[in-house]
Amino acid sequence: MTEYTVEFVGTGETIEVADTETILSACFEEGIAQEYSCRVGMCLACSAEIIEGEVTQPAARGFTDEEAENYALTCMARPQSDLKLDRGKYPPSIEDDAATAAGEGDGAAADDD
């Protein structure tokens, strides 16, 4: 078992995470408040942008392969190196979907006449 340092940028929080445990479970152990919901890699609530380092997250079904290279689902991700993560960051495809669902950016105006 190897331990890696995981730093959460902008928060001053740093934890040690074994390569056999998820980042989310290590956050629980250290008392760090990390967003989560489903804990099975689908909801994306625990998403974080990978600023530096690598993770393995084969069960992170909520991401495309390309997104999984740049983002981590902390409920599934296990470190493979020291990491710098920016919590609460979502892939552009997710941000675009959220804007569309909220009716932003689609150029359509509701007309209830």
Side-chain angles (χ1 to χ4, degrees):
M1 175 177 71
T2 304
E3 287 203 352
Y4 296 105
T5 300
V6 177
E7 175 187 339
F8 297 104
V9 298
T11 69
E13 297 169 319
T14 301
I15 58 175
E16 296 297 316
V17 184
D19 61 354
T20 58
E21 71 179 318
T22 67
I23 296 164
L24 181 62
S25 66
C27 285
F28 289 155
E29 291 171 13
E30 295 298 321
I32 292 177
Q34 168 62 40
E35 294 283 333
Y36 72 95
S37 185
C38 73
R39 296 179 71 173
V40 294
M42 291 297 294
C43 75
L44 308 180
C46 66
S47 181
E49 183 176 7
I50 301 170
I51 305 301
E52 270 182 35
E54 294 182 22
V55 300
T56 183
Q57 52 186 351
R61 297 178 297 265
F63 286 150
T64 65
D65 290 341
E66 184 178 327
E67 291 169 342
E69 292 177 19
N70 299 305
Y71 294 87
L73 291 177
T74 61
C75 71
M76 294 284 114
R78 290 173 168 76
Q80 299 298 291
S81 68
D82 289 340
L83 292 169
K84 287 187 180 181
L85 299 177
D86 194 357
R87 292 188 296 192
K89 299 294 180 175
Y90 303 94
S93 64
I94 303 306
E95 293 290 344
D96 293 346
D97 288 348
T100 300
E104 299 171 5
D106 62 3
D111 189 3
D112 293 336
D113 289 27

